[in-house]
């Protein structure tokens, strides 16, 4: 059985998805981030996970997190936070983010039906050069710590780290990770049935005026 981890941040205006401003206001960006997380919870709800963990940065737990063990993120850069949670887990473990609301559970099904005997790790690249998911049959945080995050070659460097350790890696489909308004529009077009798409469509971006940066 496989442990599922979702890493997420509390959707507070001015603290989440700030690169969507402008054209979105900080409040709209936070609402859209919340919709993205809700879609993520919904997409993975059918997966047969042995344990569900929300690796959380914040205080007010989001709706949909009720089936999850909430573990607060440790301090430090993203690689340190990911490495720490992988060190806390036993057995096959998969981590995803909250920024791919177009996620379809079928993409992750092979990791939860029965972990393939010829695969030690899974990795799914993001279009921006990062990765949206990483999974290991034997979780080892040292294989993540030290990988530069939020770079245009983060995914490539993470793959090199895994293969250098002798792990057999299977790649998952590449996805768009929502960071900018162009990303948001593209993802909404790919998955118009999502709460994310409906929320973005509800904003009147033609009349949006830039806010004074905080």
């Amino acid at each position: 059985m496989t442990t599922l981890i979702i890493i997420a941040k509390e959707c507070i205006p001015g603290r989440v998805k700030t690169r969507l401003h402008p054209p979105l206001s900080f409040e709209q960006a936070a609402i859209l981030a919340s919709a993205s997380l809700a879609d993520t919870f919904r997409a993975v709800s059918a997966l047969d996970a042995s344990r569900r963990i929300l690796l959380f940065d914040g205080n007010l737990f989001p709706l949909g997190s009720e089936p999850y063990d909430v573990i607060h993120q440790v301090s430090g850069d993203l690689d340190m936070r990911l490495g720490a949670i992988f060190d806390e887990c036993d057995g096959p473990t998969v981590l995803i983010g909250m920024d791919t609301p177009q996620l379809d559970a079928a993409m992750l099904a092979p990791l939860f039906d029965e972990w393939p005997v010829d695969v030690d790790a899974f990795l799914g690249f993001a279009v921006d050069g990062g990765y949206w998911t990483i999974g290991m049959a034997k979780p080892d945080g040292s294989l993540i710590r030290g990988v530069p995050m939020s770079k245009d070659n983060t995914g490539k460097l993470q793959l090199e780290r895994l293969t250098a350790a002798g792990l057999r890696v299977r790649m998952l489909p590449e996805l768009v990770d929502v960071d900018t308004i162009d990303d948001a529009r593209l993802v909404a077009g790919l998955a118009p049935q999502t709460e994310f798409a409906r929320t973005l469509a509800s904003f009147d971006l033609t009349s949006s005026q830039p806010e004074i940066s905080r």
Side-chain angles (χ1 to χ4, degrees), residues 130-175:
Y131 58 89
W132 63 271
T133 185
I134 183 171
M136 299 183 205
K138 297 179 180 179
D140 182 351
S142 70
L143 297 179
I144 301 176
R145 282 188 292 274
V147 174
M149 296 287 161
S150 302
K151 306 293 184 182
D152 59 8
N153 62 344
T154 293
K156 178 176 178 290
L157 293 173
Q158 182 64 76
L159 177 59
E160 290 175 354
R161 176 70 70 85
L162 297 173
T163 55
L167 273 61
R168 298 164 296 177
V169 182
R170 181 179 295 180
M171 302 304 297
L172 292 172
E174 184 178 67
L175 294 181

Side-chain angles (χ1 to χ4, degrees), residues 26-82:
F26 288 116
E27 290 74 15
Q28 288 173 327
I31 292 169
L32 193 62
S34 181
S36 181
L37 180 55
D39 284 322
T40 303
F41 282 140
R42 193 173 298 113
V44 300
S45 62
L47 294 173
D48 188 19
S50 56
R51 184 186 181 192
R52 295 174 184 269
I53 296 173
L54 179 64
L55 184 60
F56 196 57
D57 177 8
N59 298 305
L60 183 61
F61 300 164
L63 291 175
S65 64
E66 294 80 11
Y68 289 75
D69 296 330
V70 179
I71 297 177
H72 288 280
Q73 297 177 27
V74 301
S75 59
D77 292 337
L78 181 57
D79 63 308
M80 300 297 291
R81 289 177 273 148
L82 298 185

